[in-house]
Amino acid sequence: MEKMLEVKNLMVFFENALALNDFSMAVERGEIVGVLGSNSAGKTTLMNTISGLILDMKKKEERRGGERISVLGELKFEGEDILNKKPSERVKKGIVLSRERHPIFRDSDVVENLKIAGYLHKRHEVKERIDLTFKLFPHLQGMKKRKAGLMSGGEQQMLAIGIALVAKPRLLLMDEPLLGLSPMLQADLVRAIKNIRLAGITVLVTEQFARTLLPIIDRGYVIENGMLVFEGSRQELFDNPEVKSAYLGI
Amino acid sequence: MSLLIYGTITSIILALYAAGFSLAYGISGLANFAHGALYILTGYSVWTFLNQIGLPYFLSALLSVIIIGFLGFALYWGLLLRVRGVPLAELIVTFAAGIAILELLMWKGFYGIQYSLPLFVRGGVKLGGVAVDYQRLFVIGTGIVLVVLLYLFVHHTKIGLAFRGMAQNERTALSVGIESDWIGSLSLAAGSALAAVAAVVVLPLGVMESAIGYEVLIYALAVAIIGGLESTPGMILGSFIIGFGQVATAKYLGPKWMIIVPLVAIILVLAVRPSGLFGQFKELEERI
């Protein structure tokens, strides 16, 4: 199979601190790939680098004379180098990030949140995508007119994923979608991620704890202090004693 | 009765002054201190088209609104881009641009009785025993139509929705492909065009001079500070508080005290509730 996303020797510096150190990974079309790591291991930096948000952060820091952010290495999407492409160009290619801690548009209602996310797409496509979101999260359908800021954490997370889906991803990046949710909601979301794959979308998802996520990923990477420490199939991750103790709590 | 009618008119004029300023700030956090200068520049532009080039009134007004909108857009890409995200620098840049425009107008000799725009329609009516001219009624109408149009624009068009998204959560907006510089410049263009629309309908009520630019900026700031810099209901309420305050002051204390009202209101609000009556942010202390 052709590699959909290829990350090679990626280095990201915040001033002199190394957030990602020589990190390499790949995602193939149709996979669900997991990135496991504890807090501040570099998961969010990885997601921001793949989605291009880091370029925007870099630009703003430069303007205000703040932290110097440098990104080195290779980042390819379907064979094309995208390391210096703007976030919007990457969205057009189909790379969409759902950021951590359910970032939604708080003052807008559910439908408006989803409509805002359809900025780059035609009206009828947006409508189809909104329908898909409601099919994946039937719970949201009953609260179309609810103000997003007033919803529960779980509902906001569903909406955050919906926002990303309306932007028409082919590769969906999910940064800690399970963070802070109850076990029951986590199970719901994991089921939704499976269905997202069935809808033809490749998924790259980060997580701190492997227990809920491990059963549905095809392969996984373990990141510590910005470095790749282990990679393997789901079974290999299950069998690895260190992964077991650090991320499964066994 | 006259208090009610003229209070309403004054309030709507203030809301028109402030609308563009609040819009740009609400969407992209840009405090456009050239707002008042663009307002009065519109008057000069309409006057020039009308009297020097001889275009019809309506066309002169339309062209001026478009030009001023484009100027806001150019201001963003030409001057603001390099300092975007640094509030103090943004403020200095826009204020400097504003002063440059105002002083240029002054230097060109833009003051005096010959610089006035004709009324759209002459005459007036009596409302409950109070004489009101058509131009002022037109101002009320424009205010109401603008509110409705803005609401429709922001909630039902792609750009409007992108404005909403950018105003609420920039990073999430970015991650679905909305570009912040593009939206920022459009919001400044829209804000400037709104200042121009206000100028087109309000300026025929009096003589034009460049000092009005400073006045409009002060009023826009006062309204925005009282209502909270990013809230539309706050902006409208702020306009009505100052508008009615001014008309009442003029009636009971005399017109020379009118300018006190916005200043006292600013001080009171900043002392009691610095984020404004409807504001959610506490950024004001840093900004002004």
Side-chain angles (χ1 to χ4, degrees):
Chain A
M1 254 199 291
E2 187 210 345
K3 301 256 191 298
M4 189 178 209
L5 177 79
E6 233 183 323
V7 178
K8 257 193 206 157
N9 312 109
L10 193 64
M11 310 267 263
V12 176
F13 292 86
F14 289 92
E15 207 67 45
N16 291 326
L18 199 49
L20 282 179
N21 187 357
D22 200 20
F23 192 87
S24 299
M25 66 171 294
V27 179
E28 282 171 19
R29 196 165 291 121
E31 281 189 312
I32 299 181
V33 174
V35 175
L36 287 174
S38 57
N39 257 329
S40 78
K43 302 190 296 296
T44 298
T45 304
L46 178 66
M47 290 308 221
N48 285 345
T49 309
I50 298 174
S51 70
L53 278 191
I54 195 135
L55 293 183
D56 192 74
M57 294 156 75
K58 182 176 144 95
K59 191 168 72 183
K60 292 203 169 114
E61 286 295 326
E62 271 166 16
R63 281 178 192 165
R64 79 167 64 101
E67 236 174 6
R68 202 172 58 241
I69 301 175
S70 336
V71 183
L72 306 166
E74 226 176 273
L75 183 62
K76 279 188 177 163
F77 185 69
E78 297 180 330
E80 188 189 350
D81 178 23
I82 56 162
L83 194 66
N84 294 311
K85 290 245 185 290
K86 284 190 289 188
S88 58
E89 290 175 57
R90 299 191 199 187
V91 174
K92 279 180 205 155
K93 290 187 186 304
I95 307 175
V96 182
L97 167 67
S98 173
R99 289 167 52 229
E100 64 180 335
R101 286 167 216 280
H102 30 82
I104 38 133
F105 303 112
R106 304 185 66 85
D107 293 332
S108 295
D109 62 31
V110 168
V111 172
E112 192 170 84
N113 263 274
L114 298 172
K115 278 188 183 165
I116 293 173
Y119 177 68
L120 287 177
H121 303 290
K122 296 201 180 70
R123 212 163 263 255
H124 68 94
E125 286 176 317
V126 174
K127 206 186 157 296
E128 275 167 29
R129 287 278 155 175
I130 292 179
D131 290 342
L132 171 71
T133 303
F134 286 143
K135 219 167 83 191
L136 282 170
F137 302 109
H139 186 71
L140 287 181
Q141 186 140 32
M143 34 190 12
K144 282 183 182 168
K145 288 283 155 208
R146 182 79 58 87
K147 219 173 157 189
L150 300 176
M151 305 198 307
S152 74
E155 289 157 359
Q156 291 188 10
Q157 184 56 51
M158 293 178 197
L159 182 57
I161 296 171
I163 288 175
L165 285 175
V166 174
K168 248 185 128 181
R170 287 191 296 131
L171 171 63
L172 176 62
L173 312 170
M174 301 172 102
D175 199 3
E176 300 204 39
L178 306 181
L179 188 70
L181 300 184
S182 71
M184 214 171 77
L185 275 170
Q186 290 191 345
D188 279 353
L189 271 180
V190 165
R191 208 171 309 126
I193 295 174
K194 265 163 118 177
N195 288 332
I196 288 172
R197 187 233 300 257
L198 289 179
I201 298 167
T202 309
V203 179
L204 177 62
V205 52
T206 67
E207 199 29 62
Q208 289 195 33
F209 303 104
R211 189 179 295 277
T212 18
L213 200 63
L214 217 45
I216 62 157
I217 63 174
D218 301 309
R219 291 183 306 114
Y221 296 83
V222 179
I223 178 172
E224 269 170 27
N225 293 323
M227 277 185 291
L228 180 66
V229 293
F230 186 79
E231 63 171 293
S233 66
R234 170 180 41 195
Q235 200 53 48
E236 284 166 338
L237 283 168
F238 256 127
D239 294 340
N240 184 290
E242 276 162 40
V243 172
K244 256 187 189 166
S245 67
Y247 302 101
L248 281 166
I250 302 174
Chain B
M1 193 64 192
S2 88
L3 182 72
L4 185 69
I5 290 174
Y6 277 91
T8 308
I9 293 167
T10 311
S11 306
I12 289 178
I13 291 177
L14 290 175
L16 284 171
Y17 285 169
F21 183 84
S22 295
L23 181 85
Y25 186 84
I27 292 161
S28 40
L30 262 171
N32 179 14
F33 273 56
H35 188 74
L38 292 171
Y39 173 91
I40 198 66
L41 187 63
T42 312
Y44 184 67
S45 156
V46 176
W47 187 89
T48 308
F49 280 128
L50 198 59
N51 295 316
Q52 307 288 95
I53 301 176
L55 293 180
Y57 198 2
F58 175 75
L59 198 61
S60 309
L62 186 70
L63 270 179
S64 301
V65 170
I66 293 170
I67 289 173
I68 297 297
F70 187 77
L71 213 64
F73 189 77
L75 183 69
Y76 188 97
W77 291 104
L79 296 176
L80 279 167
L81 193 61
R82 286 153 187 272
V83 297
R84 187 76 178 97
V86 190
L88 189 61
E90 289 172 1
L91 197 149
I92 292 170
V93 166
T94 55
F95 194 54
I99 288 181
I101 293 171
L102 291 177
E103 293 303 317
L104 194 72
L105 287 177
M106 201 103 79
W107 176 68
K108 293 280 283 177
F110 183 56
Y111 51 84
I113 193 73
Q114 76 272 29
Y115 294 107
S116 55
L117 296 175
L119 298 170
F120 296 172
V121 268
R122 299 199 167 274
V125 283
K126 284 210 167 224
L127 291 176
V130 185
V132 185
D133 52 307
Y134 286 131
Q135 185 72 29
R136 287 192 164 75
L137 290 180
F138 197 85
V139 169
I140 296 185
T142 308
I144 294 168
V145 168
L146 265 189
V147 168
V148 174
L149 284 183
L150 266 182
Y151 180 87
L152 291 176
F153 170 72
V154 167
H155 287 88
H156 294 284
T157 65
K158 276 221 146 64
I159 300 282
L161 286 167
F163 276 4
R164 297 262 299 155
M166 197 47 79
Q168 295 181 57
N169 196 328
E170 189 186 352
R171 288 256 169 96
T172 301
L174 277 169
S175 65
V176 294
I178 301 171
E179 284 180 41
S180 56
D181 282 329
W182 175 239
I183 295 301
S185 56
L186 284 183
S187 74
L188 202 60
S192 308
L194 280 177
V197 169
V200 165
V201 296
V202 176
L203 279 176
L205 292 173
V207 175
M208 296 190 286
E209 53 171 333
S210 55
I212 292 177
Y214 295 108
E215 213 173 280
V216 167
L217 178 61
I218 290 178
Y219 282 123
L221 270 178
V223 166
I225 287 174
I226 290 168
L229 274 164
E230 73 293 345
S231 143
T232 312
M235 183 200 86
I236 292 168
L237 186 77
S239 311
F240 274 82
I241 290 174
I242 299 181
F244 275 89
Q246 281 204 307
V247 173
T249 311
K251 193 172 162 121
Y252 299 114
L253 294 176
K256 65 175 174 183
W257 297 102
M258 274 172 80
I259 190 67
I260 292 286
V261 176
L263 303 175
V264 169
I266 290 178
I267 292 170
L268 278 181
V269 170
L270 284 183
V272 178
R273 221 188 116 94
S275 57
L277 298 180
F278 278 75
Q280 297 149 6
F281 299 152
K282 283 280 179 192
E283 272 187 322
L284 228 107
E285 300 98 303
E286 298 162 27
R287 278 191 171 263
I288 289 149

